[in-house]
Amino acid sequence: MTALRRLRQCPSTGILISQLHTSSCASAKQHYKMLVLGGGSGGITMSARMKRMMGAENVAIVEPSEMHYYQPIWTLVGAGAKSVASSGRPTASVMPSGVKWVKSKVQEINPDTNTVRTDDGTEISYEYLIVGLGLQLHYEKIKGLPEGLEHPKIGSNYSVQTVEKTWKALQNFKEGNAVFTFPNTPVKCPGAPQKIMYLSDAFLRKTGKRNKAKVIYNTSLPVLFGVKKYADSLWDIVKRRDLQVNLRQNLIEVRADKQEAVFENLDKPGETKVFEYEMLHVAPPMGPHLVIKGSPLADEAGWLDLNKDTLQHNKYPNVFGIGDCTNLPTAKTAAAVAAQSAILNRTISKVLKNEKPDKKYDGYTSCPLVTSYNTVILAEFDYNGQPLETFPINQAKERRLMYHMKADVMPHLYWHGLLRGLWGGPGPYRKVFHLGMK
C-alpha cells in the first residue's frame, strides 16, 4: 500500500502524481517569455497554443509527473467499463515538441519579481505566467480515511491509486449499504460523486444483487445538482430506481474496521449519524493548491484570483490562469478548460499587442451525467447556472448517443485535439456536433 501512503503526501498539480522525476536539476537560473505552471489539461493545451503564438523556444512548462491522465474517464474505470491503463499516457507524449519541460514541482511563486522557484532550487524568471496547477485532494481531512483506503471495501474515483478499488468493492459487494459521498468543499467534476452511484446501481441490477442492496447518496449540498433542469431529471431517476438521497450530510470519519461511516448534519451542527456500509465511495474534500494559497496570487479563499471574463489576474496583468486552480465561479471540469483555453488564448494575444481583451468567458462548463452503462444526461451551463446546450434536443433526457460521446468520442478529442491546442472554445460539444453535420 505504498502508493496509498504517497497519495496522502502528494498534492495534485491538475493531474495526479504517479511518479516524481527528480533527476532534472536545471541551471541555477532560467528565463522564458511564457512560463506555464502545471501539466494537466489546462497547462498542456495552453503550452501548445503559446508555442504557436510565440515559438517553442520562448515557452517552458513546470510539471513533475511522468504520466498524464484523462481523469474524466475514471468514472467509467471505477465501474469496470474502462481500464485505468486507457486513462494515462506518458507526459512526454503529450508535451508540445520543442517546449522546455522542467520536471520539478513548483515550490514558490513571486509575482512581484516575476520569478518561480522549484523544489530543486531552480529559479525561473518570466515575462508572462499561466497558472494551471489544479487543486489538491485532502483525503487526510476525513478522520480514518487515509488508512481506511487500505481496506478492500472503500474506493475513490478521484485518484489513480484508488479508482480500481472502487471497481473491486463493487464486484465484491454481497448485501447491505452502498454509500456514496459528496464533500463540503468545492470539487472538480461535481457530477462524479453521483455518477458512480448510478453506475453501481446498474451493476447491482445486472448481477442480481440489487434487491439485497440499499444505495445511499449522502451529499453536503442542499440540492442534488446545481442546475434545476438537470436536477429535476436526476430526481426522477432517483425515485424510479429507489435510490436514497440525503442532503446536507458531510462525511467526517471512516471506521474501516467496523465498516462504518460517520456523517455530520450541516443544518444541525453537532448532530451526527453513523451509516454501516458494504461498499463506500468517497469524494474527498478538495482545496486550492498550497503554492497558490501561500502567494500574492490568491484570493481570500486561496484560489487563483482571476477576472472571470478575461482569465487575467486581477492584480498582476502579466499573470493568467486556467482550470481547477482558479476562483472562476463555474463548475471545475475538463469541458470548462476547453472553453477557457480559447478565451485565454485570445486574451493573451491582445495583451501582447498592448490591446484590451475583447472576448469574454461566459462560464461555459459541462458535466456528462452518466446514469447507466449506456446512458448520459449531458448538462451544459454557464456562470448563472443557465443551460447552454449544444444539441437541438432535450439534453435533460437520458440518451445512448451522449454515453457514446462521453465514453468514446471525447477521450479521442482530448488526446488528439485539446492537448494539442487544436480544439476548444465556447461549447466544446458544439464542435463535435458541427463536425458530425459536415
Side-chain angles (χ1 to χ4, degrees):
M1 291 298 171
T2 306
L4 293 177
R5 295 188 190 99
R6 281 206 307 271
L7 177 65
R8 298 198 283 271
Q9 300 165 355
C10 293
S12 169
T13 62
I15 58 175
L16 283 159
I17 295 172
S18 64
Q19 181 180 354
L20 296 181
H21 190 293
T22 56
S23 62
S24 169
C25 270
S27 57
K29 187 157 186 176
Q30 304 175 36
H31 177 81
Y32 295 93
K33 185 170 184 178
M34 178 62 73
L35 182 62
V36 180
L37 305 183
S41 54
I44 294 291
T45 192
M46 289 313 301
S47 295
R49 287 177 176 270
M50 293 301 100
K51 172 187 171 180
R52 285 200 298 275
M53 186 180 293
M54 58 185 62
E57 70 279 3
N58 292 310
V59 182
I61 181 168
V62 183
E63 171 54 52
S65 306
E66 293 283 3
M67 288 293 290
H68 180 104
Y69 291 98
Y70 178 57
Q71 295 183 32
I73 210 69
W74 285 348
T75 285
L76 300 181
V77 174
K82 294 284 184 178
S83 69
V84 72
S86 71
S87 72
R89 296 187 182 182
T91 301
S93 71
V94 300
M95 191 68 61
S97 62
V99 167
K100 172 65 177 178
W101 177 16
V102 181
K103 299 179 188 177
S104 301
K105 289 172 64 177
V106 178
Q107 194 77 30
E108 182 182 8
I109 307 171
N110 191 335
D112 293 307
T113 59
N114 294 331
T115 57
V116 167
R117 184 168 55 85
T118 64
D119 62 345
D120 62 7
T122 301
E123 185 175 277
I124 309 171
S125 59
Y126 60 82
E127 288 183 48
Y128 300 94
L129 181 70
I130 296 174
V131 184
L133 286 170
L135 51 65
Q136 289 188 278
L137 306 177
H138 290 293
Y139 289 92
E140 80 285 354
K141 289 192 175 181
I142 296 175
K143 183 180 178 182
L145 179 58
E147 54 270 37
L149 282 165
E150 297 181 7
H151 288 247
K153 297 181 183 293
I154 307 176
S156 175
N157 289 355
Y158 277 91
S159 161
V160 70
Q161 285 102 349
T162 58
V163 63
E164 290 179 300
K165 287 176 61 61
T166 304
W167 174 227
K168 288 177 183 175
L170 183 55
Q171 286 177 296
N172 294 331
F173 186 96
K174 293 181 175 60
E175 62 178 310
N177 294 335
V179 180
F180 304 84
T181 76
F182 188 108
N184 190 29
T185 65
V187 300
K188 55 183 173 181
C189 194
Q194 63 181 289
K195 295 177 194 179
I196 188 60
M197 170 186 65
Y198 301 125
L199 285 162
S200 297
D201 169 71
F203 178 81
L204 294 173
R205 290 179 187 278
K206 184 170 64 174
T207 54
K209 300 177 182 176
R210 184 62 179 88
N211 63 339
K212 296 181 179 179
K214 180 179 282 189
V215 180
I216 302 168
Y217 182 56
N218 284 351
T219 173
S220 66
L221 298 177
V223 294
L224 183 56
F225 193 74
V227 180
K228 186 178 185 303
K229 176 179 181 177
Y230 308 116
D232 288 346
S233 295
L234 294 171
W235 276 117
D236 287 342
I237 294 169
V238 164
K239 292 169 185 173
R240 191 166 67 247
R241 299 185 193 172
D242 192 27
L243 309 174
Q244 182 179 322
V245 174
N246 300 310
L247 305 177
R248 302 292 287 158
Q249 296 293 317
N250 182 44
L251 179 67
I252 58 172
E253 183 180 357
V254 173
R255 302 167 182 164
D257 54 334
K258 298 179 181 179
Q259 292 177 218
E260 293 178 345
V262 184
F263 293 82
E264 63 174 338
N265 185 337
L266 295 176
D267 289 331
K268 297 179 181 178
E271 181 180 296
T272 61
K273 186 173 181 179
V274 177
F275 287 76
E276 294 181 349
Y277 64 83
E278 169 70 3
M279 171 190 176
L280 175 65
H281 177 270
V282 179
M286 303 176 204
H289 198 289
L290 295 181
V291 169
I292 297 173
K293 193 172 183 179
S295 81
L297 296 177
D299 67 5
E300 290 183 356
W303 303 97
L304 188 69
D305 188 19
L306 296 186
N307 178 299
K308 73 183 185 73
D309 297 326
T310 66
L311 312 187
Q312 188 174 23
H313 195 271
N314 281 321
K315 181 179 177 182
Y316 298 93
N318 65 330
V319 176
F320 310 88
I322 189 169
D324 297 349
C325 68
T326 70
N327 65 352
L328 300 174
T330 195
K332 301 178 186 294
T333 68
V337 167
Q340 292 163 19
S341 66
I343 300 296
L344 182 52
N345 190 70
R346 178 74 174 185
T347 293
I348 292 172
S349 71
K350 288 291 185 180
V351 169
L352 290 175
K353 298 173 186 175
N354 291 316
E355 297 175 6
K356 186 177 180 181
D358 60 351
K359 295 290 184 183
K360 291 185 177 182
Y361 175 50
D362 58 9
Y364 173 88
T365 191
S366 175
C367 188
L369 293 156
V370 183
T371 55
S372 76
Y373 283 90
N374 57 15
T375 55
V376 159
I377 289 173
L378 181 58
E380 296 180 286
F381 50 97
D382 63 14
Y383 275 137
N384 299 316
Q386 294 301 308
L388 202 62
E389 297 182 342
T390 294
F391 299 92
I393 54 177
N394 179 11
Q395 290 183 199
K397 286 186 66 175
E398 296 177 276
R399 297 186 186 273
R400 290 175 180 266
L401 172 63
M402 301 308 180
Y403 181 88
H404 173 60
M405 287 184 62
K406 160 72 177 177
D408 305 312
V409 176
M410 301 314 292
H412 179 81
L413 288 173
Y414 179 83
W415 294 113
H416 301 286
L418 180 64
L419 295 187
R420 296 181 183 180
L422 301 174
W423 174 65
Y429 288 93
R430 202 163 294 138
K431 301 288 181 73
V432 181
F433 177 58
H434 288 162
L435 285 170
M437 294 294 286
K438 290 181 179 177

